[in-house]
Amino acid sequence: YIYIYIYIYMKIVTYSNKNTHGYLRYLDSCKKNKIIPINLAKKNEKFSLILKIKNIIDFLKNSSPKEIICFTDSWDVILLNNLENIKKKFISMNIPYLFSAEENFYYAGKLDIIKKWPYKKHFLNSGGYIGYNYELLKIFNEIDKHDYYNTVCDQAVLYNYFYYNPKKLIIDYNREIFGTYFRKTNLISNIFLNFCFYKSKYVIKNKNLFYKDNNNKISILHLSLIHISE
């Protein structure tokens, strides 16, 4: 996967049907990094994690094959780097695509995923991935073809695919681009303002966020939340 950097374009896309506090915070982080994200949610469409997958398929089919597409969630995500730096980092990795990783295993499906999982303590997170359009489309076309939608969760859809295609899995276990942190919480507001949440795995240096295990600088931060009642 050797490409001429100057001729490659990149887009940031997301999916949100509401202007929640989290979404507005996400947009603010995009603005600070001079990024204009593309929202794949269609007007008057009810929020659906499965439609999130189907809408990305439509988007990929109608975009240039060699573009780099970076999908992120938005309600619990902020961008910490600009488009050119994220693109340059991905191209330097010389891979077709990359899915974000998290330490928590969450799968809302019927397959025994965990027995076949190749990475210890690093599990798939569907809230962030990046890749060349035509490479991502290969995956999503197969998902559509084999109807891996027997779930209500987009993360489970991707788990279903990689269960049958384990050699195609490439996840960001080194946190080259995506920094993902899992936390059970009932407090949503200000979750990105208190970085003590990240003290075990992340550290701030010169106003940048780094992954402690290998000192990689995080470009996209995702806090995975499990909501619990009071």
Side-chain angles (χ1 to χ4, degrees):
Y1 298 92
I2 300 175
Y3 298 90
I4 300 175
Y5 173 73
I6 195 170
Y7 293 115
I8 299 176
Y9 295 94
M10 177 175 161
K11 295 174 182 174
I12 298 283
V13 299
T14 191
Y15 178 84
S16 175
N17 67 336
K18 295 180 181 179
N19 287 330
T20 64
H21 174 72
Y23 182 60
L24 295 176
R25 178 182 55 223
Y26 171 80
L27 291 179
D28 183 61
S29 73
C30 290
K31 183 178 180 180
K32 288 178 180 177
N33 287 287
K34 299 181 180 179
I35 293 172
I36 301 175
I38 299 170
N39 190 349
L40 301 182
K42 297 175 183 178
K43 189 175 181 179
N44 299 323
E45 180 180 78
K46 186 177 180 181
F47 183 85
S48 165
L49 294 175
I50 299 303
L51 280 177
K52 187 201 300 189
I53 293 283
K54 293 188 175 183
N55 287 2
I56 189 69
I57 292 174
D58 289 341
F59 178 80
L60 293 174
K61 287 180 177 178
N62 289 286
S63 298
S64 175
K66 291 187 178 180
E67 282 183 333
I68 294 173
I69 305 299
C70 179
F71 176 87
T72 72
D73 281 348
S74 58
W75 296 351
D76 52 1
V77 170
I78 57 172
L79 274 68
L80 302 175
N81 213 333
N82 62 48
L83 201 66
E84 289 302 310
N85 286 338
I86 297 172
K87 178 172 69 172
K88 186 176 180 180
K89 179 68 173 180
F90 173 70
I91 291 174
S92 72
M93 296 175 73
N94 199 31
I95 53 177
Y97 48 77
L98 183 70
F99 287 81
S100 61
E102 63 175 285
E103 294 183 4
N104 176 60
F105 174 69
Y106 176 75
Y107 170 65
K110 299 178 180 179
L111 298 174
D112 193 359
I113 301 291
I114 202 71
K115 284 187 177 180
K116 285 190 174 184
W117 196 249
Y119 301 99
K120 293 182 178 180
K121 297 182 180 180
H122 300 287
F123 300 100
L124 176 69
N125 182 293
S126 64
Y129 51 87
I130 185 172
Y132 297 99
N133 187 324
Y134 73 95
E135 295 286 4
L136 289 173
L137 196 53
K138 289 177 185 177
I139 293 174
F140 288 108
N141 278 339
E142 285 294 303
I143 286 172
D144 220 29
K145 177 182 176 181
H146 295 287
D147 193 21
Y148 289 132
Y149 300 117
N150 59 335
T151 175
V152 296
C153 175
D154 61 310
Q155 186 155 295
V157 170
L158 287 169
Y159 266 120
N160 288 346
Y161 170 80
F162 286 116
Y163 179 84
Y164 295 108
N165 301 275
K167 291 183 180 180
K168 295 182 179 180
L169 177 64
I170 308 174
I171 64 170
D172 195 6
Y173 56 88
N174 281 325
R175 308 309 194 268
E176 299 278 355
I177 293 176
F178 302 98
T180 305
Y181 187 86
F182 166 75
R183 178 180 174 85
K184 289 185 178 180
T185 182
N186 53 9
L187 297 175
I188 299 177
S189 61
N190 298 323
I191 57 176
F192 287 109
L193 300 181
N194 188 348
F195 279 100
C196 67
F197 289 174
Y198 307 95
K199 63 184 178 181
S200 62
K201 286 291 182 180
Y202 298 89
V203 60
I204 299 174
K205 294 184 293 184
N206 298 321
K207 297 183 180 180
N208 292 305
L209 186 65
F210 294 84
Y211 189 54
K212 273 189 175 182
D213 286 3
N214 49 32
N215 207 37
N216 280 334
K217 182 180 176 181
I218 302 302
S219 293
I220 300 170
L221 177 61
H222 184 177
L223 179 62
S224 298
L225 299 174
I226 296 295
H227 304 300
I228 56 177
S229 58
E230 293 287 351

